[in-house]
Amino acid sequence: SGTTLDEIVELYKFDGGLRLLTLQAIDRVEVGIRAAITYHLAHELGTFGYANATNFDGRYDHAGLMRGLQREEQKTSEVFVRHYRAKYTSEPVLPVWMATELLSFGALSKMYANLRTSVRKKIAKQFDQPEPVFTSWLHALVAIRNTCAHHSRVWNRELAIKPTLPQDWAAAGIDNRRFYAMALIVQTLLEKISPHSRWKDRQIG
């Protein structure tokens, strides 16, 4: 009672703008996280260390990761892959800095979550977060990105994947079930990845 169609349309437009801003920020965050994971994998495990299942949790479907990468390599049109295969014909897999470019953000998140703990900690430290917190953030970022990409509502709904919050956030009463927590996570990561970003100051509409 009392609700108008104009109010519904305005809320729909607001949510669309919020999704767009969120996707733009996550795109930048993803580039920074992808670069950090690639850097530490190369330095800690070596050029092809990601292809060794012993560098991952034993419960991880490492064979599935390698099959997925093989499929991505076969269908990609990336020039760097063609050039590499033309020159290095005896290598069974791509170097890590090429492999991580072919992985989806979701697959990259799963790979990170199953890396040996020492490597996960070094990557998380680059973003000044404890490893369990950073691991949960990656999972939640993938989920909210998919929500935005599929034009689902993000405003005033409970998050499907609830991120682990730093202790001071939880003590301040921040609710990990709502979008505000994701906005804080995005802004916190942007401050490390793109310190001059004005994302938090942008307005919708």
Side-chain angles (χ1 to χ4, degrees):
S1 178
T3 301
T4 68
L5 184 59
D6 286 342
E7 289 173 335
I8 294 171
V9 170
E10 287 305 309
L11 185 57
Y12 177 81
K13 289 179 180 178
F14 170 81
D15 193 69
L18 183 62
R19 290 197 305 269
L20 181 60
L21 282 180
T22 303
L23 278 175
Q24 289 171 345
I26 291 177
D27 280 349
R28 183 168 291 188
V29 166
E30 179 186 344
V31 170
I33 291 174
R34 194 178 290 272
I37 290 175
T38 303
Y39 175 86
H40 287 284
L41 282 175
H43 280 263
E44 300 297 323
L45 306 180
T47 302
F48 303 105
Y50 76 92
N52 187 342
T54 62
N55 287 320
F56 295 85
D57 188 296
R59 295 164 294 183
Y60 178 50
D61 183 12
H62 182 264
L65 167 71
M66 299 309 295
R67 287 193 301 270
L69 274 170
Q70 188 176 41
R71 287 194 298 270
E72 291 300 320
E73 182 182 347
Q74 288 171 350
K75 70 181 184 182
T76 188
S77 58
E78 292 286 2
V79 174
F80 65 82
V81 173
R82 295 205 308 271
H83 283 183
Y84 180 80
R85 284 307 185 192
K87 185 172 182 179
Y88 301 98
T89 56
S90 62
E91 295 292 351
V93 297
L94 296 171
V96 64
W97 51 87
M98 294 186 184
T100 52
E101 282 296 309
L102 298 183
L103 287 175
S104 69
F105 194 30
L108 190 73
S109 170
K110 288 180 182 177
M111 183 176 74
Y112 169 82
N114 287 280
L115 280 166
R116 62 170 68 163
T117 306
S118 60
V119 181
R120 291 203 312 273
K121 285 183 175 180
K122 288 187 177 181
I123 296 168
K125 186 178 180 182
Q126 186 168 331
F127 299 95
D128 291 335
Q129 298 301 324
E131 179 273 320
V133 170
F134 188 69
T135 299
S136 84
W137 283 13
L138 276 188
H139 192 193
L141 282 167
V142 170
I144 200 70
R145 183 190 184 198
N146 290 343
T147 297
C148 292
H150 289 92
H151 309 288
S152 295
R153 180 168 57 88
V154 293
W155 177 252
N156 197 29
R157 72 179 298 173
E158 186 168 320
L159 297 174
I161 304 297
K162 300 168 184 60
T164 301
L165 302 183
Q167 291 182 354
D168 55 337
W169 292 14
I174 294 169
D175 189 345
N176 75 339
R177 299 172 299 172
R178 296 294 178 176
F179 177 80
Y180 182 65
M182 292 307 307
L184 280 179
I185 288 169
V186 168
Q187 178 58 31
T188 300
L189 293 173
L190 278 176
E191 287 171 1
K192 284 292 179 184
I193 292 166
S194 183
H196 300 296
S197 170
R198 300 294 301 274
W199 182 73
K200 69 179 181 180
D201 300 319
R202 295 181 64 184
Q203 297 184 9
I204 298 171

